[in-house]
Amino acid sequence: MATIACQSSSSMPLSFLTPRLCLQNTPRRSIKSISKPRPNRFNRSPNLPLLGSTTAAALERKRLTTPMRTGALGTKKGMTAMYDPDGRRFPCTVVQMDRVQVVAHKTRERNGYFAVQVGSGWKHPSNVTRPLLGHFAEHKVSPKRHLVEFKVKDESGLLGIGEIIGASWFQEGQYVDARANSRGMGFAGGMKRHGFSGQPASHGTSLTHRAMGSAGQSQGGGSRVYPGKKMPGRMGGHQVTTQNVKVVKVDNDKGLVVLHGSIPGPDGCWVKLSDAIKKPWPDIPTSVLGAQSALDPVNSLAS
């Protein structure tokens, strides 16, 4: 009898080895919400669109704010004044373009985006590194002192390599964005650099009238100074963009572009000029030859 009991018990599988049954346990009593479900910020639902994290999606998002044509480089010569037809005097800035030439292209197939590399000025070959000399020699362009890249919308904005961009690239009455490095002012305090009001002028303040004051908490804030705290330091010397600057006058023979108002940077600095992105695109041809032909009737009337 003992042997029979052992055989029967060994033939039955153990309870923890049997697979569990997946039973749907639905509660009998439940409260149904009458409000709509909250939107899920994670892409877990089949109804949500796919995340646009690719390079092509990023270029598509920037399509409306990417200029259709390239910009140009110029030297800030200084400021002067002009008069409008009503006799009112207004300030203006003179920018001169010196041997601005297309050096290279960047395409979406090779680099992931469309851009035009523009060079300006001239540099002696003995002062140029060999990799850059090979870059200029490959495209049959003389060594340039400055190289700048301007993104364009598509391949229609790619100018031919070696084409010269003159002052006629811009038209009187259009708006441009001017970018340049601001004038360096050295080490400045908090009042000059960030506009702090300073300490009281009296009532016990001793030798700290222009001091910054407290830089952080002792308790509750980690007993530290937060990153990005406005403090004294180097002021100026970084790129500043002035948008929607109107072109007052263009002199193609002398390479001068006169802009309304002031632009960043000291006299003699290099300025990047491009079509304003917050204004309608100008009705100007995207090629150098087209721009020159558009100005021929104007030049004939002026002469």
Side-chain angles (χ1 to χ4, degrees):
M1 296 295 293
T3 58
I4 297 174
C6 292
Q7 291 178 358
S8 61
S9 61
S10 61
S11 62
M12 296 180 61
L14 300 178
S15 61
F16 63 89
L17 294 178
T18 56
R20 296 182 180 180
L21 299 178
C22 299
L23 300 178
Q24 296 182 358
N25 186 12
T26 304
R28 296 181 179 179
R29 297 180 181 180
S30 62
I31 301 176
K32 185 177 181 180
S33 177
I34 60 175
S35 59
K36 296 182 180 180
R38 296 180 180 179
N40 189 2
R41 63 188 183 93
F42 299 101
N43 193 6
R44 296 179 179 177
S45 173
N47 299 326
L48 294 177
L50 297 177
L51 296 178
S53 58
T54 60
T55 305
L59 293 174
E60 182 65 23
R61 289 192 296 268
K62 298 179 181 179
R63 185 176 58 87
L64 298 178
T65 57
T66 303
M68 295 184 294
R69 59 181 199 147
T70 180
L73 271 175
T75 307
K76 181 179 177 181
K77 289 298 182 180
M79 295 192 66
T80 181
M82 297 182 66
Y83 292 88
D84 59 3
D86 298 332
R88 289 176 295 186
R89 185 175 183 270
F90 61 90
C92 54
T93 306
V94 179
V95 178
Q96 187 174 23
M97 301 172 64
D98 178 23
R99 289 166 284 190
V100 183
Q101 195 172 7
V102 178
V103 177
H105 291 163
K106 289 197 174 181
T107 59
R108 183 173 297 182
E109 291 77 12
R110 179 181 298 179
N111 308 104
Y113 59 95
F114 292 104
V116 179
Q117 190 182 56
V118 177
S120 179
W122 181 81
K123 200 171 185 179
H124 198 275
S126 62
N127 296 327
V128 182
T129 59
R130 288 189 176 183
L132 273 181
L133 280 178
H135 177 68
F136 291 127
E138 180 185 359
H139 299 93
K140 300 180 180 180
V141 178
S142 62
K144 300 295 181 180
R145 180 164 294 274
H146 294 276
L147 285 177
V148 176
E149 184 179 293
F150 292 96
K151 284 189 176 182
V152 293
K153 185 177 180 181
D154 49 22
E155 58 184 356
S156 63
L158 299 177
L159 295 179
I161 296 178
E163 290 192 18
I164 301 294
I165 301 177
S168 59
W169 186 247
F170 301 101
Q171 198 175 46
E172 295 181 4
Q174 79 162 109
Y175 292 88
V176 296
D177 293 340
R179 294 177 176 86
N181 290 333
S182 62
R183 178 174 58 90
M185 287 165 276
F187 194 94
M191 295 183 67
K192 180 179 180 180
R193 191 183 185 197
H194 302 293
F196 291 165
S197 60
Q199 304 298 326
S202 61
H203 296 287
T205 304
S206 300
L207 304 179
T208 56
H209 301 285
R210 298 183 63 87
M212 181 185 69
S214 175
Q217 306 89 340
S218 177
Q219 292 180 350
S223 298
R224 64 191 180 96
V225 179
Y226 290 156
K229 170 65 180 173
K230 295 181 179 179
M231 301 178 71
R234 293 285 296 272
M235 183 177 179
H238 57 273
Q239 180 175 283
V240 179
T241 303
T242 302
Q243 296 181 330
N244 304 334
V245 183
K246 188 176 182 180
V247 178
V248 179
K249 191 175 181 180
V250 174
D251 190 345
N252 192 32
D253 297 334
K254 298 181 180 179
L256 299 179
V257 179
V258 183
L259 305 176
H260 186 281
S262 62
I263 60 175
D267 294 346
C269 71
W270 292 89
V271 183
K272 293 182 287 185
L273 301 177
S274 58
D275 296 334
I277 63 174
K278 293 186 178 179
K279 293 288 185 178
W281 301 122
D283 189 11
I284 299 178
T286 57
S287 63
V288 176
L289 297 177
Q292 293 177 356
S293 62
L295 287 178
D296 288 342
V298 180
N299 296 332
S300 61
L301 292 176
S303 60

